[in-house]
Every structure is written in C-alpha cells, then in structure tokens.
C-alpha cells in the first residue's frame, strides 16, 4: 500500500485528468508515459472515468492509474474494479477511507483544517491531499499545519502551476503535487497529445530541479 504512495512521491507531480470521452484515454496515457509521468488521477466527474481507467490500466500496465473525485464507496468499488491503484477524494469521507483500507487500496482524502487532520490521523493515514491548495492558503498554510502533524505527508492540489510548483516540491513534507496544467481539457479535446507530452517532460524537469 505504502509502495504506491512512495511511487507517487517519486513522480512528484500527478496529472489530474478529466476525460469526457474514453476514446481519448489511450492516446493520453501514451503521452503521459512518453513524457515521463506514468501516472494519473482520473476524476470520477465524468461518465467516461471508469472506462478510461480500465483502458489506461490495460494498455499501460506499468502506469500508476488512480481515481480522483471519489465521493462514495460505490465509486471507489467501480474505480478499483476498473483497475485504479489508488483513490483520491476532495474531502475526507470516513466511509470511503475505511472501504479503501478494508480492500487494501491506498487512499488520499482531501483535508484543510486541523480538525480534519485529526480525523485523518485517527483513521491511521499518513498522507493527505490538501485541497484546494492555493485558495486555502498554499504552502504557507501547509507549513503551519505540517509543523504539528509531523507524521503526515501532503499532496496539494488546486491552483498548482509550473510557476508555483517548485516551491511546493522543495518542501520535504510534500510527497507530490496534483495538477491539471499539462492535461487541460481543451488540449485533450483537440487531440494535442504532442503538446501534452511536451508539458509533461517540462514537469518532469521541474521535479528534478526542485529536488536537487
Ligand atoms: O477533482 C478533484 O478531486 C480535484 O482534485 C479538483 C481539481 O481537478 C484539481 O484540484 C485540479 O486543479 P487544477 O490543477 O487547479 O486544475
């Protein structure tokens, strides 16, 4: 379980994907893998999410495909059956967390406040999403709470971009950052997979630079 979270940490940036059409899943996964980020959080905000996860996992078995925006245990179940290797939620729903733990699926629920953090610790978690990262206070806020909860790693998501991601990654309590800038909806709709690959390569360079 922790191995998958560690692998996410090695990638450093997790592309957050919204797919309207599962036919785009394969070329998108190919662009991510060729670019050097063989991982994705496929959000359960569209009907195509489940099938997209299935296609990505089948065609690219080496890829770390997870499901995002998972709000219910029913969605978690569908995501895992489709091949999702980890589950991400915008908030902390104890039922979803417990379901994932019972099925030995790594889960990264979103938190903002110390009260939510206390709940995450109570559930035995060691990594949380910090969402929505920039509107909620960004790195300054994370540093303030990370100082108290020394066992916890963070995956900030929301408002992260190539300009501010370096700062986040330079802080050793940030396991990885989620972001959509390299997989924008318009680029997927217009089949700009070369552009996506290019932006992914740039993201990989940013991770390397930030961690040296
Ligand atoms: O659906 C979720 O669970 C989310 O994580 C919400 C957003 O898709 C991410 O926060 C990405 O945000 P941006 O990188 O600012 O576009």
């Amino acid at each position: 379980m922790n191995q998958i979270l560690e692998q996410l940490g090695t990638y450093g940036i997790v592309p957050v994907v919204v797919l309207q059409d599962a036919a785009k899943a394969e070329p998108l996964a190919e662009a991510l893998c060729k670019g050097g980020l063989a991982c994705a959080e496929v959000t359960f905000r569209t009907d195509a999410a489940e099938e997209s996860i299935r296609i990505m996992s089948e065609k690219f078995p080496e890829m770390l495909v997870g499901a995002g925006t998972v709000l219910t245990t029913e969605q978690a179940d569908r995501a895992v059956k489709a091949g999702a290797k980890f589950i991400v939620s915008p908030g902390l729903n104890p039922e979803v967390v417990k379901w994932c733990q019972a099925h030995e699926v790594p889960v990264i629920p979103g938190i903002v406040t110390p009260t939510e953090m206390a709940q995450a610790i109570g559930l035995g978690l060691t990594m949380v999403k910090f969402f929505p990262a920039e509107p909620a206070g960004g790195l300054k806020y994370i540093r303030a709470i990370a100082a108290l909860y020394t066992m916890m790693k963070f995956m900030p998501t929301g408002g992260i971009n190539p300009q501010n991601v370096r700062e986040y990654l330079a802080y050793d309590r940030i396991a990885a950052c989620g972001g959509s800038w390299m997989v924008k909806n318009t680029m997927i709709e217009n089949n700009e997979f070369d552009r996506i690959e290019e932006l992914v390569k740039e993201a990989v360079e940013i991770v390397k630079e930030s961690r040296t």
Side-chain angles (χ1 to χ4, degrees):
M1 182 143 142
N2 284 336
Q3 215 178 331
I4 286 175
L5 298 183
E6 267 171 37
Q7 215 178 325
L8 284 178
T10 307
Y11 284 118
I13 292 176
V14 181
V16 180
V17 179
V18 182
L19 275 163
Q20 304 291 346
D21 176 3
K24 308 272 184 171
E26 188 176 351
L28 176 65
E30 191 182 358
L32 293 174
C33 291
K34 278 164 78 181
L37 282 181
C39 65
E41 177 186 325
V42 181
T43 60
F44 252 69
R45 270 184 270 162
T46 65
D47 292 339
E50 189 179 343
E51 185 57 14
S52 300
I53 290 171
R54 187 169 291 113
I55 292 169
M56 286 179 164
S57 315
E58 276 173 15
K59 303 268 178 186
F60 298 89
E62 73 281 16
M63 202 174 163
L64 194 51
V65 184
T69 333
V70 172
L71 308 179
T72 63
T73 54
E74 184 263 333
Q75 285 177 330
D77 188 41
R78 285 201 284 134
V80 170
K81 283 188 177 135
K85 296 194 182 83
F86 63 95
I87 297 290
V88 185
S89 300
L92 193 157
N93 176 340
E95 274 184 36
V96 171
V97 172
K98 285 178 189 162
W99 185 94
C100 291
Q101 290 171 330
H103 292 81
E104 296 186 354
V105 179
V107 58
I108 314 169
I111 66 110
V112 173
T113 67
T115 303
E116 291 156 358
M117 182 61 109
Q119 213 177 353
I121 290 166
L123 288 161
L125 298 171
T126 53
M127 182 164 155
V128 286
K129 173 169 173 157
F130 179 69
F131 176 78
E134 280 289 301
L139 188 57
K140 195 173 170 192
Y141 185 106
I142 295 177
R143 281 184 180 277
I145 52 169
L148 311 180
Y149 303 104
T150 53
M151 70 297 277
M152 207 49 106
K153 292 263 186 185
F154 296 83
M155 184 170 82
T157 308
I160 312 256
N161 57 47
Q163 285 70 48
N164 61 19
V165 72
R166 288 167 207 270
E167 249 191 309
Y168 281 95
L169 291 173
Y171 182 37
D172 63 3
R173 300 288 297 283
I174 305 288
C177 290
S180 68
W181 76 88
M182 73 303 275
V183 286
K184 284 218 172 79
N185 292 354
T186 50
M187 294 193 283
I188 296 171
E189 274 158 30
N190 298 328
N191 297 313
E192 294 172 33
F193 297 109
D194 290 344
R195 176 80 186 126
I196 290 173
E197 186 183 326
E198 205 177 299
L199 289 170
V200 169
K201 281 185 178 154
E202 283 171 24
V204 171
E205 281 310 308
I206 293 174
V207 176
K208 277 192 203 151
E209 287 164 21
S210 310
R211 289 179 164 173
T212 49

